[in-house]
Amino acid sequence: DSGVTQTPKHLITATGQRVTLRCSPRSGDLSVYWYQQSLDQGLQFLIQYYNGEERAKGNILERFSAQQFPDLHSELNLSSLELGDSALYFCASSVPGSYYGYTFGSGTRLTVV
Amino acid sequence: AQTVTQSQPEMSVQEAETVTLSCTYDTSESDYYLFWYKQPPSRQMILVIRQEAYKQQNATENRFSVNFQKAAKSFSLKISDSQLGDAAMYFCAYREAYGGSQGNLIFGKGTKLSVKP
């Protein structure tokens, strides 16, 4: 157990639908990062939150949004889903200080049918 | 923009042998951090080793070591005495030292390592 909790582990939904992925960071970590890993792609950075505020945006589609709540858990909302959104979505958290890498959750496998 | 390149999509090694995975990166920064992550079939991302750019000494973690060549912007991973459990996808990653509040990790596309018994 890495200490970063992602739910659900698997999600199957239809095109056009909306889903919410949830992430609880490791205790003490203020930053949360969301990544997308498609079948033949590396990890694509989506968005970062730090202590409730958005800090950096990567290749995140307008159909996707995220937020970090006062208790530091984060949610990634994916709407108007398309087949191409099928991927493994990772959440990661980190301690202050760039020396440390991220601690990753086990990911949410999203399948859009 | 910073980029990370892993030129070997797949590698294979015999059990107990040594293998080296390559990684190059492009940055104009002088201070940054480099990482190797392992992703086994379970898909969990596991940090293998980290290197600080301002440290000349190469990092070592048990059977894993790196060859960090800052001028060449190269960061290779050497796995000694390879074990069946080392079979995984390996990702090289870069992180600015002072980007944003903490900087985000930029990953290469990965190298799939197979270990033959």
Side-chain angles (χ1 to χ4, degrees):
Chain A
D1 182 10
S2 68
V4 178
T5 304
Q6 284 189 252
T7 57
K9 292 193 182 305
H10 302 278
L11 198 51
I12 301 175
T13 190
T15 54
Q17 295 299 304
R18 170 189 169 97
V19 297
T20 297
L21 312 184
R22 181 187 169 101
C23 169
S24 294
R26 196 177 57 167
S27 178
D29 289 356
L30 299 179
S31 277
V32 169
Y33 308 80
W34 286 97
Y35 280 81
Q36 179 192 57
Q37 185 180 30
S38 301
L39 191 61
D40 58 350
Q41 297 283 328
L43 284 91
Q44 300 293 319
F45 169 67
L46 296 178
I47 197 165
Q48 175 201 0
Y49 279 84
Y50 177 77
N51 203 21
E53 294 185 4
E54 180 185 306
R55 283 305 177 99
K57 258 186 176 180
N59 300 319
I60 187 166
L61 300 173
E62 286 192 8
R63 300 183 285 109
F64 296 0
S65 64
Q67 54 185 324
Q68 186 179 29
F69 295 87
D71 66 352
L72 300 179
H73 91 270
S74 178
E75 293 181 355
L76 179 66
N77 300 296
L78 315 176
S79 61
S80 303
L81 285 167
E82 303 174 357
L83 295 177
D85 297 328
S86 295
L88 188 58
Y89 290 84
F90 281 107
C91 167
S93 69
S94 70
V95 296
S98 296
Y99 171 69
Y100 300 96
Y102 299 172
T103 300
F104 281 83
S106 57
T108 293
R109 167 71 69 187
L110 174 66
T111 303
V112 183
V113 297
Chain B
Q2 292 86 1
T3 58
V4 177
T5 302
Q6 294 179 249
S7 59
Q8 306 151 315
E10 295 187 25
M11 292 281 286
S12 180
V13 63
Q14 203 72 34
E15 195 176 5
E17 297 294 310
T18 296
V19 64
T20 299
L21 308 184
S22 301
C23 172
T24 58
Y25 57 94
D26 186 23
T27 184
S28 58
E29 302 293 327
S30 60
D31 200 8
Y32 48 86
Y33 303 96
L34 298 165
F35 306 85
W36 279 98
Y37 278 87
K38 170 184 177 181
Q39 188 180 41
S42 67
R43 305 291 276 188
Q44 177 73 47
M45 294 290 290
I46 302 166
L47 177 63
V48 175
I49 198 165
R50 63 170 73 93
Q51 174 79 41
E52 300 162 74
Y54 63 85
K55 283 190 175 180
Q56 292 187 345
Q57 185 175 5
N58 290 321
T60 298
E61 290 286 345
N62 300 313
R63 297 182 295 106
F64 298 88
S65 61
V66 298
N67 183 4
F68 173 49
Q69 302 289 330
K70 191 172 184 178
K73 297 180 182 176
S74 170
F75 183 60
S76 61
L77 174 70
K78 186 172 82 171
I79 306 175
S80 304
D81 186 25
S82 296
Q83 300 176 358
L84 295 177
D86 295 332
M89 189 72 115
Y90 286 82
F91 291 96
C92 178
Y94 164 98
R95 185 181 195 183
E96 284 185 17
Y98 305 111
S101 65
Q102 295 178 44
N104 66 79
L105 276 173
I106 300 169
F107 286 89
K109 290 192 177 297
T111 296
K112 184 176 181 180
L113 178 66
S114 302
V115 181
K116 298 179 181 178

